[in-house]
């Protein structure tokens, strides 16, 4: 695979030229970018997949929902519908995507959730709502230059920093590292919880932020209780059960390590990120579960996968996650709130 990526280097150079020209066209106004009178916060990354956008969006929802009417707008990756959709109780993951459905089910009393590949049209539709939002959170929209967000939050993984990566197809970057300059905040995600200040300092120096940028560090915090069929179970209770673990996310390694640290044994069935589970997949999962010898057994999955598996499998449970700041959480909150007040 490394050799193949090296051989594809000329295509990466071509891709760089195309994305650089595209960004220049937006910067000088040849391509139109629309700005809005309300605060629009774009959360995204330079690389493909797995940087923790969903936990970061949920963190912002929790931060803002008591003081502002929030809307989350996503493209609805791998959905089977088209155009603008306002997420409601009748929708499935196939209709609107797993992550938007997750946001809706978790926060539907407090926020609006919508999907539209055309973010400009999506925001315009939201503002025509009878109860329009005061703040829009754009999920995975860092490269969506047709909207000029009021602020950009750039995520990069601790063990796969964008400054160490290269453009597709040689590397995993969607655009050049130069795109990082659009961000006012850079969040290094999925850090070890015991990451020292000196190590954080080394990463900050490597990222070399602009004077107007601030770098933060977060880790993934797992809920100590599982939800679903057995929603009274704690993680510690899983030590006494046989677990069939189902994942369809970009990087399941942190979850695997967490369960191992908690001394939870499991059989793991791994699927691609955002996998649409077929009838045959479901049958294979059921057979694998039936093949576990213990009578004390459950199926465990991620919250995102639960959105695509709910109602298709019995004994289905999920573990949810949150984004947790290693330090300076109040500083991050203040930066976000000040930006919103400035734009409101």
């Amino acid at each position: 695979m490394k050799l193949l990526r090296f051989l594809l280097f000329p295509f990466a150079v071509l891709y760089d030229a195309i994305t650089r020209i595209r960004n220049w066209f937006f910067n000088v106004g040849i391509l139109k970018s629309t700005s809005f009178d309300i605060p629009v916060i774009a959360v995204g990354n330079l690389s493909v997949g797995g940087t923790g956008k969903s936990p970061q969006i949920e963190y912002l929802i929790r931060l803002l929902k008591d003081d502002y009417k929030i809307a989350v707008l996503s493209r609805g990756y791998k959905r089977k519908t088209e155009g603008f959709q306002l997420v409601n109780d009748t929708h499935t993951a196939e209709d609107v995507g797993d992550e938007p459905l997750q946001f809706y089910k978790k926060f539907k009393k407090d926020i609006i959730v919508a999907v539209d590949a055309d973010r400009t049209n999506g925001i315009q539709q939201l503002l025509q709502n009878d109860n329009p939002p005061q703040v829009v959170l754009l999920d995975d929209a860092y490269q969506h230059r047709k909207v000029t967000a009021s602020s950009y939050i750039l995520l990069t993984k601790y063990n796969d920093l964008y400054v160490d990566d290269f453009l597709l197809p040689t590397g995993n970057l969607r655009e050049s590292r130069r795109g990082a300059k659009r961000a006012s905040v850079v969040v290094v995600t999925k850090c070890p919880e015991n990451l020292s200040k000196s190590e954080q300092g080394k990463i900050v120096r490597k990222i070399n932020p602009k004077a107007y940028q601030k770098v933060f560090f977060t880790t993934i915090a797992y809920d100590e209780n599982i939800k679903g069929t057995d929603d009274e179970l704690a993680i510690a209770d899983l030590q006494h059960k046989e677990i069939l673990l189902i994942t369809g996310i970009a990087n399941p390694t942190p979850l695997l390590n967490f369960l191992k640290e908690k001394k939870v044994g499991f059989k793991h069935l791994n699927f691609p990120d955002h996998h649409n589970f077929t009838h045959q997949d479901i049958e294979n999962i059921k057979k694998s579960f039936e093949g576990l010898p213990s009578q004390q057994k459950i199926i465990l999955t991620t919250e995102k996968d639960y959105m695509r598996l709910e109602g298709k499998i019995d004994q289905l449970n999920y573990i949810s996650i949150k984004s947790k700041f290693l330090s300076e959480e109040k500083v991050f909150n203040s930066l976000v709130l000040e930006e919103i007040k400035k734009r409101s």
Side-chain angles (χ1 to χ4, degrees):
M1 180 61 76
K2 288 184 178 180
L3 176 60
L4 177 61
R5 287 203 164 201
F6 177 76
L7 293 174
L8 291 172
F9 177 77
F11 293 96
V13 175
L14 177 62
Y15 182 73
D16 182 29
I18 293 170
T19 55
R20 190 186 303 193
I21 292 169
R22 176 181 180 270
N23 280 327
W24 183 77
F25 279 177
F26 276 111
N27 292 340
V28 300
I30 295 174
L31 292 178
K32 182 182 177 183
S33 184
T34 303
S35 58
F36 293 88
D37 292 334
I38 65 168
V40 176
I41 302 174
V43 177
N45 47 24
L46 293 181
S47 61
V48 292
T51 55
K53 294 182 293 294
S54 295
Q56 187 63 52
I57 288 286
E58 291 187 358
Y59 181 92
L60 291 170
I61 292 171
R62 292 186 181 95
L63 173 65
L64 302 173
K65 66 182 178 63
D66 292 336
D67 298 311
Y68 298 95
K69 184 67 177 178
I70 305 297
V72 177
L73 179 62
S74 172
R75 62 174 167 161
Y77 184 59
K78 284 195 172 183
R79 65 187 172 113
K80 295 180 179 179
T81 58
E82 295 182 356
F84 178 81
Q85 298 282 332
L86 202 61
V87 183
N88 60 52
D89 289 329
T90 68
H91 283 134
T92 65
E94 287 79 11
D95 298 324
V96 295
D98 47 19
E99 290 163 339
L101 187 63
Q102 177 179 319
F103 300 145
Y104 176 77
K105 288 197 170 187
K106 188 176 287 187
F107 299 104
K108 64 181 177 180
K109 293 181 180 179
D110 302 302
I111 68 171
I112 302 167
V113 181
V115 294
D116 197 334
D118 182 345
R119 304 307 209 290
T120 306
N121 179 69
I123 296 175
Q124 290 169 343
Q125 292 290 330
L126 286 167
L127 294 177
Q128 293 172 17
N129 195 295
D130 291 338
N131 187 16
Q134 298 170 296
V135 179
V136 174
L137 304 179
L138 292 182
D139 177 32
D140 195 13
Y142 199 83
Q143 283 75 38
H144 196 89
R145 299 295 306 276
K146 291 183 179 180
V147 170
T148 301
S150 51
S151 59
Y152 292 86
I153 298 176
L154 175 63
L155 309 184
T156 184
K157 282 191 298 186
Y158 162 77
N159 61 353
D160 190 17
L161 299 172
Y162 70 85
V163 291
D164 296 328
D165 207 344
F166 200 74
L167 281 155
L168 290 165
T170 298
N172 292 314
L173 294 184
R174 297 172 171 176
E175 65 171 305
S176 165
R177 304 166 194 167
R178 291 184 294 273
K181 65 184 180 182
R182 295 197 299 276
S184 56
V185 168
V186 178
V187 181
V188 182
T189 64
K190 301 186 178 181
C191 298
E193 196 158 4
N194 59 353
L195 186 67
S196 67
K197 287 289 186 180
S198 62
E199 287 297 317
Q200 292 178 34
K202 290 179 183 177
I203 293 172
V204 172
R205 289 190 290 275
K206 180 181 280 192
I207 291 174
N208 191 24
K210 305 291 185 183
Y212 57 85
Q213 294 177 318
K214 176 72 176 173
V215 180
F216 296 91
F217 295 85
T218 64
T219 189
I220 291 297
Y222 289 91
D223 198 327
E224 286 298 320
N225 297 297
I226 69 168
K227 300 178 178 67
T229 305
D230 300 288
D231 58 2
E232 294 183 0
L233 282 177
I235 294 297
D237 297 329
L238 299 183
Q239 296 176 8
H240 312 294
K241 292 184 179 291
E242 200 163 5
I243 310 297
L244 180 63
L245 178 66
I246 311 296
T247 61
I249 56 178
N251 180 19
T253 302
L255 174 57
L256 306 186
N257 291 339
F258 171 76
L259 293 175
K260 290 173 183 176
E261 288 170 6
K262 295 294 183 179
K263 296 181 171 54
V264 175
F266 54 87
K267 176 182 178 181
H268 182 205
L269 297 182
N270 190 28
F271 294 87
D273 192 23
H274 294 280
H275 181 68
N276 284 324
F277 293 93
T278 65
H279 175 74
Q280 188 59 54
D281 291 331
I282 300 301
E283 291 304 308
N284 291 339
I285 291 171
K286 290 178 179 179
K287 287 179 182 178
S288 295
F289 185 61
E290 291 168 0
L292 298 180
S294 174
Q295 294 299 311
Q296 299 295 317
K297 56 186 178 182
I298 65 168
I299 298 176
L300 183 65
T301 190
T302 68
E303 188 170 9
K304 185 168 73 170
D305 292 314
Y306 184 83
M307 297 300 126
R308 284 174 274 124
L309 288 169
E310 185 182 12
K312 300 176 181 178
I313 300 175
D314 296 330
Q315 299 297 316
L316 183 64
N317 302 272
Y318 68 90
I319 181 170
S320 58
I321 60 175
K322 290 183 180 180
S323 180
K324 176 184 175 184
F325 282 78
L326 298 184
S327 61
E328 298 190 296
E329 180 177 7
K330 291 182 179 179
V331 176
F332 174 86
N333 294 351
S334 295
L335 287 175
V336 173
L337 292 170
E338 285 172 10
E339 184 61 34
I340 288 174
K341 289 177 182 177
K342 187 191 308 181
R343 296 284 299 188
S344 295

